């Protein structure tokens, strides 16, 4: 289980704590999945660790098992959303790469054609 204290100023810690509402679509002991408020695809879900870590690298350093748990929950949600095996997983890391919430989160995107490279 999470051993990092929740950050009271962190939006996703507050969603995990139930202090801010979100449309939860899946959960596990270590992770929570909820719909992005500004979806970029028919399915756009954020899968977050319950513990506060700033980004994917810090998350991997803190717990490889919990990083795997987020990935597995994303797969479960993708299947529940009817995406089969066709979806994109993204960790934006750093403001210059588009990260705006500094609590690690895996974007699960699917339900439309996904171009590559993403631009
Ligand atoms: P980032 O830009 O950090 O990779 O992704 C943050 C995501 O959080 C964005 O896609 C944004 O739409 C989403 N987001 C921001 N505020 C909220 C919120 O209050 N609730 C939910 N469900 N998503 C949010
Ligand atoms: Zn947090």
């Amino acid at each position: 289980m999470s051993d990092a204290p929740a950050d009271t100023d962190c939006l996703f810690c507050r969603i995990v704590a139930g202090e801010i509402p979100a449309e939860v679509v899946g959960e596990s002991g270590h992770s929570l999945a909820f719909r992005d408020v500004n979806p970029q695809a028919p399915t756009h879900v954020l899968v977050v660790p319950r513990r506060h870590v700033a980004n994917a690298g810090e998350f991997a350093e803190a717990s490889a098992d919990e990083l795997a748990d987020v990935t597995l929950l994303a797969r479960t949600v993708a299947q529940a959303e009817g995406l089969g095996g066709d979806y994109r997983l993204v960790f934006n890391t750093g403001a210059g790469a588009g990260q705006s919430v500094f609590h690690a989160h895996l974007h699960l995107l699917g339900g439309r054609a996904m171009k590559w490279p993403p631009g």
Side-chain angles (χ1 to χ4, degrees):
M1 285 296 282
S2 170
D3 55 6
D7 179 340
T8 52
D9 292 332
C10 171
L11 174 63
F12 289 170
C13 281
R14 296 189 70 195
I15 288 177
V16 167
E19 294 169 9
I20 292 176
E23 188 181 346
V24 173
V25 293
E27 60 184 319
S28 70
H30 294 304
S31 312
L32 187 71
F34 53 89
R35 294 199 194 282
D36 195 295
V37 77
N38 182 24
Q40 303 302 312
T43 292
H44 187 173
V45 169
L46 303 173
V47 190
V48 309
R50 293 183 187 274
R51 72 156 81 211
H52 181 86
V53 283
N55 57 47
E58 285 192 14
F59 187 23
E61 209 164 49
S63 172
D65 286 348
E66 291 180 30
L67 179 60
D69 189 78
V70 157
T71 309
L72 292 169
L73 181 56
R75 181 177 68 175
T76 298
V77 172
Q79 288 168 348
E81 294 277 310
L83 301 178
D86 298 326
Y87 54 90
R88 182 169 292 171
L89 300 178
V90 177
F91 278 113
N92 292 326
T93 299
Q99 187 176 7
S100 60
V101 178
F102 291 86
H103 177 131
H105 49 282
L106 184 59
H107 292 262
L108 163 62
L109 297 147
R112 64 164 168 79
M114 293 281 157
K115 70 177 177 129
W116 190 263

